[in-house]
Amino acid sequence: MAGPSDKARFYLEQGVSELNELERKKVFTRDEISSIAKRRSEFEHIINARGSLPSDYVRYIDFEKNVDALRRKRIKRLGVKSTGSGARTIFFLFNRGTRKFSGDLGLWMEYIEFARKEKAYKKLNEILTSVVRLHSTKPELWIYAAQYFMDTQADITNARSYMQRGLRFCKRSENLWLEYAKLETIYIAKIAGRRRILGLDMDRDHTVANDDHDADMIALPAITAEDINPTLGQDDGVDEVALNNLANAPILTGAIPIAVFDSAMKQFQPDAELAEQFFQMFAEFDQLPCLKHLLQHVLDHLVESSPDSVHTTMCTVRLDLLGIRPTSPEFPSLLRKALDALSSAMRDHPAGKSRLSQFAICLVLPYYRMCDEEMVDPSIEKVLLSSLRKYSRLLEEAESSDGATIAALAESLGRDGKSENAERLVRSSMKQWGTNATLQQLHSA
């Protein structure tokens, strides 16, 4: 059996011709070539020795990245023909490292990110296939792979396949179920967006997903190739006929996300909190044509399974105010109904006071912000500000803090891209908790 030195010598000899060519074309000087060879020899002896670590491979790879970056700059400056192995050496090192330390997810993720940066899509497909086989119980890997195929290659078939296979191994991962439903909802939003641009919007009858699920897979509504594109083989840009046919297919009615939600509820039943998470996730897609149908389906499930829970109350309030502007005639009565429902839920569920208060704040903030943008009745603006301060006070009382919880909520809103809502919350809270250092920093910012 070859020892570490023999292995190191074998791998070093493979790079000799490349170094000679770089010296001959004056990309690197003789001293630089000697330095590179010496460093490679050191790294090869380290990683081939007993007791080597994934970090040793990372340091070696970082060194090769620096060498390759310098090589590319020199080639561009000198105007010589491209020479050297480039990224191939780095890919080879990643491959050796992940084979030796197949359980190190950090090394795998660096491998994946490098392949994405190099746009080596064929190689990336192979890497993703290998990593999910080795770590099939890691839901984050299945999610990453599905999002890659959806975002980078717009390949819903492969993305859906990764999610389905992931759920076979990670049935108890709530996040995986949520991300799968989100993936399907994004797909609907993209198709609906294209139809809107082409002026193909039309009313559709809502259909419900098939409830006949087997033990391993989610039974998705059947969509044939003819449903999507009856004129396969045409290559003349956007197929308006195909998009128009999709109006009558189950996909645009939200049937697939509903099927995912129903399967998740069977897996975790009863879980009102998870159902509410589905509701909140769907509600983020405010331009989705089938949004109300999706939300109503989730609410119907909550009313049937957990009619008295705080989660059912929050979803009911959110759905009642869906799409209502503060200038609408029905807004005052709906707002009063929502605030009464929240107050009643707090009396019935004292333990949920913090969650309900936070929900109420996030509910009121967007409407309060709209008061500056639209001609809103001053009395409504006064009620919104009063409600905002009331629930902020209740949230602080529930958490026994002095403005820290409000500051944390404002920071969370800022991270979620809702900076205007965060600003309103900070301004409305300064009178009550102006001494809080974090709030002072947020206010000054």
Side-chain angles (χ1 to χ4, degrees):
M1 180 180 293
S5 296
D6 295 329
K7 290 181 180 179
R9 189 179 303 110
F10 170 76
Y11 288 118
L12 289 169
E13 288 174 352
Q14 293 181 356
V16 170
S17 60
E18 175 195 341
L19 291 176
N20 289 335
E21 185 179 4
L22 289 169
E23 182 183 0
R24 181 173 57 83
K25 292 187 175 182
K26 299 182 179 180
V27 176
F28 292 130
T29 65
R30 177 176 291 275
D31 289 341
E32 288 173 330
I33 294 294
S34 299
S35 177
I36 291 171
K38 181 180 179 182
R39 289 287 288 156
R40 283 181 175 174
S41 177
E42 292 172 356
F43 280 122
E44 285 292 346
H45 280 85
I46 290 172
I47 65 175
N48 286 293
R50 184 175 299 177
S52 61
L53 301 170
S55 58
D56 297 325
Y57 277 91
V58 172
R59 285 195 295 271
Y60 192 2
I61 289 167
D62 287 341
F63 168 74
E64 289 294 346
K65 285 180 180 179
N66 292 332
V67 170
D68 186 53
L70 181 59
R71 180 189 64 84
R72 293 187 186 191
K73 287 182 180 179
R74 295 272 181 90
I75 287 173
K76 184 178 180 180
R77 189 184 69 199
L78 297 172
V80 300
K81 187 177 180 181
S82 179
T83 184
S85 58
R88 189 166 63 249
T89 300
I90 301 171
F91 276 120
F92 184 55
L93 284 173
F94 269 122
N95 188 44
R96 289 168 62 190
T98 51
R99 273 189 294 148
K100 186 171 184 178
F101 300 101
S102 58
D104 191 281
L105 281 179
L107 190 58
W108 276 108
M109 293 310 298
E110 286 199 35
Y111 193 6
I112 291 170
E113 290 302 327
F114 179 74
R116 289 192 72 164
K117 183 180 178 181
E118 293 294 315
K119 298 182 180 179
Y121 298 127
K122 184 176 180 181
K123 184 70 175 177
L124 185 53
N125 292 352
E126 296 173 1
I127 299 169
L128 289 172
T129 300
S130 299
V131 73
V132 295
R133 283 177 179 171
L134 289 166
H135 302 277
S136 56
T137 59
K138 303 288 186 182
E140 59 271 18
L141 292 177
W142 295 104
I143 293 170
Y144 183 97
Q147 290 177 343
Y148 158 72
F149 279 103
M150 186 65 176
D151 298 341
T152 306
Q153 301 188 11
D155 187 349
I156 184 60
T157 302
N158 255 328
R160 184 179 289 153
S161 173
Y162 271 98
M163 285 294 191
Q164 289 268 356
R165 286 155 54 199
L167 287 172
R168 289 184 176 182
F169 296 98
C170 312
K171 289 184 177 180
R172 302 302 299 178
S173 172
E174 295 182 356
N175 189 43
L176 186 56
W177 285 98
L178 282 165
E179 289 296 331
Y180 184 21
K182 185 176 182 179
L183 179 84
E184 295 290 359
T185 310
I186 290 172
Y187 182 51
I188 297 173
K190 288 185 176 181
I191 293 177
R194 293 186 70 186
R195 287 179 49 78
R196 192 179 302 114
I197 292 171
L198 294 170
L200 299 175
D201 284 337
M202 60 182 68
D203 292 332
R204 295 175 296 274
D205 293 328
H206 296 308
T207 58
V208 182
N210 188 350
D211 290 330
D212 183 18
H213 309 296
D214 61 32
D216 292 326
M217 300 291 283
I218 300 172
L220 301 179
I223 302 173
T224 65
E226 289 74 17
D227 288 331
I228 298 175
N229 192 352
T231 55
L232 294 174
Q234 293 184 0
D235 188 17
D236 55 356
V238 177
D239 192 339
E240 295 188 15
V241 175
L243 289 174
N244 203 34
N245 286 346
L246 275 173
N248 299 317
I251 188 171
L252 282 183
T253 66
I256 296 180
I258 286 175
V260 177
F261 170 77
D262 289 342
S263 297
M265 291 301 100
K266 288 181 180 179
Q267 185 69 36
F268 294 98
Q269 191 174 6
D271 193 334
E273 183 177 0
L274 178 60
E276 188 217 337
Q277 291 178 31
F278 271 95
F279 187 99
Q280 300 295 347
M281 182 272 292
F282 288 142
E284 293 295 323
F285 296 85
D286 53 358
Q287 299 297 318
L288 202 66
C290 59
L291 175 60
K292 194 165 185 178
H293 180 50
L294 287 173
L295 298 181
Q296 187 63 57
H297 183 84
V298 177
L299 181 58
D300 289 344
H301 170 84
L302 280 167
V303 170
E304 181 181 351
S305 61
S306 309
D308 299 323
S309 73
V310 296
H311 306 288
T312 304
T313 300
M314 290 187 289
C315 292
T316 302
V317 168
R318 183 80 180 268
L319 186 57
D320 286 344
L321 289 170
L322 181 68
I324 304 295
R325 308 290 297 182
T327 53
S328 302
E330 62 268 30
F331 180 75
S333 59
L334 290 175
L335 179 62
R336 187 183 307 110
K337 178 183 175 183
L339 295 177
D340 290 343
L342 290 172
S343 297
S344 177
M346 285 186 184
R347 288 193 300 270
D348 297 338
H349 303 280
K353 182 178 177 181
S354 175
R355 180 71 181 88
L356 286 165
S357 298
Q358 184 172 324
F359 170 80
I361 292 170
C362 294
L363 179 74
V364 171
L365 274 172
Y367 294 111
Y368 181 54
R369 178 174 54 83
M370 291 179 196
C371 291
D372 285 347
E373 303 169 1
E374 304 180 12
M375 298 296 292
V376 178
D377 190 320
S379 61
I380 295 178
E381 183 177 0
K382 186 177 180 180
V383 169
L384 289 170
L385 178 57
S386 174
S387 300
L388 184 57
R389 288 176 173 170
K390 169 189 172 182
Y391 288 111
S392 297
R393 185 177 65 256
L394 291 173
L395 177 59
E396 288 297 328
E397 290 174 357
E399 297 296 333
S400 301
S401 63
D402 188 20
T405 308
I406 292 295
L409 178 57
E411 290 177 329
S412 176
L413 289 170
R415 288 193 298 270
D416 292 341
K418 301 174 181 178
S419 56
E420 293 182 352
N421 289 350
E423 181 182 347
R424 289 285 176 176
L425 178 59
V426 171
R427 286 183 178 180
S428 67
S429 304
M430 286 303 294
K431 184 176 180 180
Q432 294 170 290
W433 302 285
T435 57
N436 183 275
T438 307
L439 274 177
Q440 287 178 356
Q441 292 175 359
L442 292 171
H443 184 262
S444 62

